[in-house]
Amino acid sequence: MTTFLGPDFLLNTSEAQRLYHDVAADLPIIDYHNHLPPAEIAQDQHWDNLGQLWLGHDHYKWRVMRWAGIPEDRITAPASDRQKFDAFAEAMPRLAMNPVHHWSHLELWRYFGLEGTILSPETADEVWDHVNAMLPNKEFGARGLLRRMNVQFIGTTDDPLDDLAHHRHLQDDPDLTVAPSFRPDRAFQIESEGFVAYIQSLGESTGAEIHSFDRLAGALLQRLDHFVAHGCRAADHGIELLDCGAEYPASKLDEVLRRRLSGAAVDADDAAALRAALFVTLGRAYAARGIVMQLHIGPLRNNRSGLLGRVGRDAGADSMNDFAIASPLNALLDRLDRTDELPAMVLYSVNPAHNAVLATTAGNFQDGSRPGKIQAGTAWWFNDQLDGMERQMNDLAQMGLISTFLGMLTDSRSFLSFTRHEYFRRLLCRMIGQWHADGLLPDDKTALDEMVRDISYRNAASWFLR
């Protein structure tokens, strides 16, 4: 009899069970893209209660709570931590088959020893008291929670203006590598209301008045070098609208930038050209410095203006967009490849309809310099559930090489989210075990073991550990 999230959860063949329990389960975790606050790691943050720890950053949970009929004043403010937790427990029985239902129970079970307990209003007191009694202990601070899941590498997400003081504090840790990732999105948001103020702040931080494209590029590269000095291994670009503007000469780029910095609007063609020039300039810089470039493509953000005003960004009102990406993505990568300055790159789209586009685009730009130099990245955001991850891996396996895949990441703000690596590894072993059972893979246990180790850990370790 199969039990809910039992020892053989998802492992439907004997080979899947062997691969997971003997090979994948105990491998360290390389989480190369997340949104954990570096300050909380550096200061070894402790939390007063489970509501604060579990619900404070997690807009995945906020979103499903609203869907379950929980009013906003019991999700964000002004409810107390206990009231928010009780609201989540009330919602939990309605979350069947949403990944939050699986993740949440794995989090309670793996971190706090509550195996078999199902969260509901009837068990809320038991769970609250049990976890809260454990939280004051040293091993349940931020660092202890990471150690508990065998996390070896953390790639945080950081604005170029961040001083990285907390990363500096973390650089000497022998057991955990916490690396900043360069996230220059605001320099690309040329039409946005805050662009001019952001560029002024960038100039102040680098001691240079920015009045030309070269000055803007130079300021960003100065900040990039500051990140590299603090252990940066990756850059990350959040791309809400992917375009590839015309290749303007420097004089025209200067004219567009000066016009925008004066407070005037610029048209879509000029903004696209300036964005493309920044993309190419930074891409070349990443290649020269050995920095992995990640592209997160396609969310439609902050769609509910009332919630944005009340709660702020990243509150659970983002969704998939459906614009075409194949032509501009290939054109941007080609501009970098023409001069042999294309960095190692990971491509993600929030829209699963783009899985095949990413896999076939990645195949266009492999150059033999490293296995899978251009990656069709893991199923992202709304897709990091079982069907979404399986679709993404099947597309990658059949249109590219799954053997070179970098595997899972959390993309999370929660210190309890690392059970998502278990979720992924179980599914991976299920898929490989089923391919083996169906005669699609040779009966070579060593080769199967190596594939699982590579996808679960070693491929990412070779990219991000130095």
Side-chain angles (χ1 to χ4, degrees):
M1 176 181 174
T2 302
T3 57
F4 174 65
L5 300 180
D8 290 329
F9 171 58
L10 297 180
L11 308 175
N12 62 336
T13 64
S14 59
E15 190 62 14
Q17 293 166 11
R18 187 191 71 79
L19 287 168
Y20 178 72
H21 294 301
D22 295 352
V23 181
D26 295 330
L27 292 171
I29 287 174
I30 305 293
D31 201 70
Y32 52 93
H33 174 72
N34 61 66
H35 297 271
L36 293 182
E40 294 184 3
I41 305 173
Q43 297 163 4
D44 197 18
Q45 171 83 15
H46 279 66
W47 292 268
D48 295 333
N49 57 66
L50 178 57
Q52 188 184 89
L53 168 62
W54 218 15
L55 299 168
H57 295 305
D58 199 335
H59 59 78
Y60 282 86
K61 292 186 174 77
W62 300 349
R63 185 179 175 96
V64 294
M65 289 169 74
R66 295 183 193 111
W67 206 324
I70 305 296
E72 194 64 37
D73 61 6
R74 298 180 65 200
I75 299 171
T76 49
S80 68
D81 293 333
R82 178 61 202 256
Q83 288 168 330
K84 294 173 187 175
F85 170 78
D86 285 343
F88 187 53
E90 180 183 319
M92 182 59 73
R94 301 177 186 173
L95 307 188
M97 290 309 296
N98 187 288
V100 172
H101 190 257
H102 291 152
W103 295 342
S104 299
H105 286 100
L106 287 173
E107 288 163 10
L108 290 176
W109 297 8
R110 300 297 185 259
Y111 286 94
F112 303 109
L114 283 166
E115 279 80 357
T117 299
I118 307 301
L119 182 63
S120 69
E122 291 70 34
T123 61
D125 285 345
E126 173 195 348
V127 171
W128 179 262
D129 292 341
H130 177 91
V131 174
N132 287 351
M134 302 173 81
L135 289 181
N137 297 323
K138 180 178 176 59
E139 60 264 35
F140 292 96
R143 306 290 288 278
L145 293 173
L146 295 172
R147 282 193 296 270
R148 199 170 192 84
M149 289 294 109
N150 199 15
V151 179
Q152 191 173 15
F153 178 89
I154 292 286
T156 62
T157 305
D158 310 274
D159 188 272
L161 298 185
D162 291 346
D163 67 9
L164 305 183
H166 298 297
H167 287 89
R168 186 160 54 249
H169 175 76
L170 290 163
Q171 279 188 300
D172 295 330
D173 191 311
D175 301 316
L176 173 67
T177 300
V178 181
S181 297
F182 190 73
R183 179 79 174 240
D185 292 2
R186 290 196 286 172
F188 283 74
Q189 294 164 356
I190 295 152
E191 301 98 331
S192 74
E193 184 178 333
F195 176 78
V196 174
Y198 182 76
I199 299 304
Q200 289 172 344
S201 296
L202 178 63
E204 291 167 4
S205 74
T206 56
E209 182 181 353
I210 296 175
H211 51 68
S212 68
F213 181 80
D214 281 349
R215 285 288 187 94
L216 173 56
L220 287 169
L221 296 185
Q222 182 178 326
R223 295 307 302 164
L224 176 60
D225 286 334
H226 179 71
F227 272 59
V228 171
H230 287 76
C232 176
R233 320 288 168 85
D236 183 50
H237 291 243
I239 300 175
E240 295 179 34
L241 179 61
L242 185 66
D243 50 19
C244 182
E247 295 183 73
Y248 282 7
S251 59
K252 193 168 182 181
L253 291 172
D254 292 346
E255 188 273 326
V256 172
L257 181 60
R258 281 196 294 267
R259 185 158 25 100
R260 183 67 188 94
L261 293 177
S262 74
V266 295
D267 65 28
D269 288 344
D270 286 346
L274 189 56
R275 258 193 298 275
L278 279 174
F279 184 98
V280 171
T281 298
L282 286 174
R284 289 170 173 166
Y286 302 149
R289 293 160 175 78
I291 299 297
V292 177
M293 187 177 192
Q294 300 179 85
L295 306 184
H296 282 89
I297 304 167
L300 189 63
R301 296 184 183 274
N302 303 309
N303 298 288
R304 188 176 166 197
S305 56
L307 189 66
L308 177 64
R310 178 173 176 177
V311 179
R313 298 175 61 84
D314 303 314
D318 306 326
S319 59
M320 295 179 191
N321 210 331
D322 58 358
F323 58 87
I325 69 169
S327 179
L329 179 59
N330 276 275
L332 287 167
L333 270 58
D334 183 61
R335 286 192 190 176
L336 290 164
D337 189 61
R338 284 180 213 163
T339 55
D340 198 25
E341 294 176 287
L342 182 65
M345 191 175 290
V346 190
L347 311 174
Y348 314 85
S349 176
V350 74
N351 188 337
H354 293 153
N355 284 348
V357 172
L358 297 187
T360 55
T361 298
N364 292 339
F365 294 95
Q366 305 297 343
D367 63 10
S369 62
R370 69 191 305 172
K373 175 182 174 179
I374 309 301
Q375 288 273 324
T378 192
W380 172 43
W381 203 339
F382 296 107
N383 305 305
D384 56 359
Q385 27 75 7
L386 297 176
D387 288 351
M389 291 190 292
E390 186 169 15
R391 282 193 299 266
Q392 186 271 337
M393 285 191 278
N394 271 317
D395 283 344
L396 176 57
Q398 296 180 57
M399 298 182 198
L401 295 183
I402 196 170
S403 60
T404 67
F405 183 34
L406 295 184
M408 188 57 171
L409 49 82
T410 63
D411 190 34
S412 175
R413 292 165 174 78
S414 171
F415 282 86
L416 298 184
S417 64
F418 291 91
T419 54
R420 296 181 198 179
H421 284 265
E422 175 185 338
Y423 201 61
F424 168 84
R425 289 173 180 180
R426 285 177 176 273
L427 177 63
L428 173 68
C429 293
R430 175 192 179 102
M431 293 175 67
I432 293 175
Q434 191 63 57
W435 293 338
H436 172 266
D438 291 343
L440 297 172
L441 293 175
D443 187 21
D444 181 341
K445 286 183 168 42
T446 299
L448 298 179
D449 292 358
E450 294 300 287
M451 184 185 301
V452 168
R453 286 192 185 95
D454 285 344
I455 298 169
S456 298
Y457 172 71
R458 291 195 305 211
N459 290 342
S462 72
W463 278 47
F464 296 101
L465 289 182
R466 297 175 182 170

